[in-house]
Every structure is written in C-alpha cells, then in structure tokens.
Amino acid sequence: MAGKNINITLKIWRQKNSGTKGKIETYKLNDVSTDSSFLEMLDQLNEQLVAAGKEPVAFDHDCREGICGTCSLYINGRPHGPDTGITTCQLHMRAFNDGEVIYVEPWRSVAFPVIKDLIVDRSSFERIQQAGGYVSTSTSGNTVDANALPIPKFDADRAFDAAACIGCGACVAACKNGSAMLFVGAKVSQFALLPQGKVEAARRVQKMVQQMDEEGFGNCTNTRACEVECPKEISLENIARMNREYLNAKVKSEQAI
C-alpha cells in the first residue's frame, strides 16, 4: 500500500560545539512521505534550510543499512526512536502521526561530547577497544586455520551474539548513569567464549574496564534500559560475564603477587 504525506514539527538540538551552549530550535516540515526513512526526512529538512539560506542540521550517518551504528539519534526520549531492534536509519516516518511534534537530540553522556548539533564524539569506545578488545595472533605463515579449533556450538552462538554489537552507544544514551557496561561486556564476551581469547583474557578485561572508567562512563545499576534500547538486542548476560571475567582476573593477579 502506498504511503501518505504528513506534516510534522521538529524540535532539534542545535549546538556549535562542546564548548558552547546549545538549545532546541523548532522547524515545520510539510509533505513528508511516510515511506521515507528518518534520515531522509532530515535530508528534506536540510534542503529546506539551505534553500532559505540557513545552516543545515549536522547529523552523522554512513551505511544507512543498520550495521554501522553511526546514525545515533535520541528521538522523542528514546535512542534510535520509538521502534525496537533497529537503528535510526531503519526508522521510517510511518512510525509518526500527522501533526506530531518530534524531539531530536544527540546522545547525552560526559564521555560523548557534542561535536556539532546531533553529532557526538564516540572515540571513547574506540579507546576502550584499543585497550584490549582484540586477540594477538602469529602472522609468521604458521597460523592455524580457525576451523581446526573445535568450539561447542552453544559457545560459538553466544560469541556471535555478543559480536553483533555495533558500538552505536544506544546503551549509554539509555542508561541513567551513562554506563557503557553493555558495550564493554559484549566486547569482552565475544572473546571470553572462544579459545582464541583465553590467552589474553585477564589482561583484556582489566584494561578495558580501566579505560571505561577513565573515559567517565557510569556504573551499571541493572535497570535493563540498555538491553531494551540496543538495536542489536545484546543481552544483559554479557555484563554478568564481564563481571565474572573481571573478578577472576583480579583474584589471579592478587594471587600472583
């Protein structure tokens, strides 16, 4: 069935950079196709602003296929908008009603400073990954084929589920504490469940948790908001696994003293 056109009011956060004060600005947008995606709607708004000689709204995006997590927006009080299990680029305007007022904001976190308007700096996630979110392997030509390592299907499935995390930051935006533990838990779990990740397990979890704390992310208080809003539906069990890995690593390091 063909879509229809709707008229909407947009309340969008505008901010030049993290060092300046931002504010909500109001825009009227007419004839928005309900078949268009949320980002296509923002494109339409920016075309209208440019035509009027005004500065377009800065927002981030890349693949527009729901696999990169770049399109992180806080829409009507929810990360990625009113639907579940999707990123912003997969949200369509049919989720909204004619005449509706839509609030669009950037992620809110000390660790995600605003670059401009709706774009935030999420390089803190990259630094957490660099601290230990990888495995070391020999590239001398004597590497072992991964398929030669027997892994129980149950463990492989759980590792793949954890690895589905795209690092968009919705978990942080949803958490009242600005916690990144679902992200870090997923990145720890994807290796903790596999034999390739066992060698550096203790170092990995301690380094990643340490970096997470240094970046200014808050602690988890088990509200489960992160799990609900995650576009890849990463399970909260990954936080529990990270806590176990961290406790084991600390015990082993103390015993070694």
Side-chain angles (χ1 to χ4, degrees):
M1 185 175 70
K4 61 178 182 179
N5 287 358
I6 59 175
N7 301 328
I8 57 175
T9 299
L10 294 165
K11 301 277 189 176
I12 299 181
W13 183 261
R14 303 301 305 267
Q15 186 174 352
K16 289 185 178 180
N17 53 58
S18 60
T20 60
K21 188 176 180 179
K23 63 179 181 178
I24 292 285
E25 293 191 358
T26 303
Y27 304 98
K28 299 284 188 179
L29 192 59
N30 299 328
D31 296 323
V32 177
S33 172
T34 54
D35 287 334
S36 63
S37 71
F38 198 87
L39 296 188
E40 289 171 332
M41 178 276 293
L42 290 180
D43 289 336
Q44 181 179 340
L45 170 66
N46 279 342
E47 289 174 0
Q48 177 177 298
L49 291 175
V50 170
K54 299 179 181 179
E55 186 174 4
V57 176
F59 64 95
D60 218 348
H61 64 91
D62 192 3
C63 72
R64 297 202 178 197
E65 295 178 354
I67 58 176
C68 73
T70 304
C71 57
S72 49
L73 296 178
Y74 204 70
I75 303 167
N76 282 350
R78 292 186 63 181
H80 294 301
D83 284 350
T84 57
I86 64 166
T87 52
T88 299
C89 62
Q90 296 173 300
L91 177 66
H92 283 76
M93 295 309 297
R94 55 179 168 267
F96 302 94
N97 299 315
D98 185 36
E100 187 167 350
V101 177
I102 305 172
Y103 284 82
V104 189
E105 303 169 82
W107 286 168
R108 297 295 188 188
S109 172
V110 172
F112 289 162
V114 172
I115 295 175
K116 185 176 182 180
D117 293 342
L118 303 176
I119 303 175
V120 299
D121 181 358
R122 292 177 298 171
S123 59
S124 53
F125 269 12
E126 296 174 8
R127 289 189 289 273
I128 292 172
Q129 280 284 80
Q130 291 164 1
Y134 54 86
V135 293
S136 299
T137 183
S138 172
T139 56
S140 63
N142 297 319
T143 53
V144 178
D145 183 12
N147 291 330
L149 297 176
I151 301 171
K153 186 178 187 303
F154 181 64
D155 290 343
D157 287 345
R158 288 188 298 166
F160 272 114
D161 288 343
C165 170
I166 55 177
C168 67
C171 51
V172 177
C175 180
K176 65 179 182 179
N177 305 321
S179 173
M181 291 187 74
L182 189 65
F183 165 75
V184 179
K187 297 306 176 185
V188 168
S189 290
Q190 70 185 44
F191 295 120
L193 291 161
L194 301 176
Q196 296 94 328
K198 300 298 184 185
V199 177
E200 297 164 307
R203 177 186 179 277
R204 174 183 302 108
V205 68
Q206 290 184 89
K207 288 287 188 180
M208 293 182 76
V209 169
Q210 178 184 345
Q211 188 64 41
M212 175 183 68
D213 291 341
E214 289 177 0
E215 296 293 343
F217 292 106
N219 284 321
C220 173
T221 49
N222 294 313
T223 63
R224 304 182 74 94
C226 57
E227 184 181 53
V228 171
E229 301 294 0
C230 175
K232 298 304 176 182
E233 301 178 328
I234 303 298
S235 173
L236 206 66
E237 72 176 23
N238 291 294
I239 296 179
R241 184 175 298 106
M242 180 191 71
N243 287 335
R244 291 194 298 271
E245 290 284 321
Y246 185 77
L247 180 59
N248 288 335
K250 294 295 287 185
V251 169
K252 289 180 180 178
S253 62
E254 290 175 1
Q255 290 176 344
I257 296 175

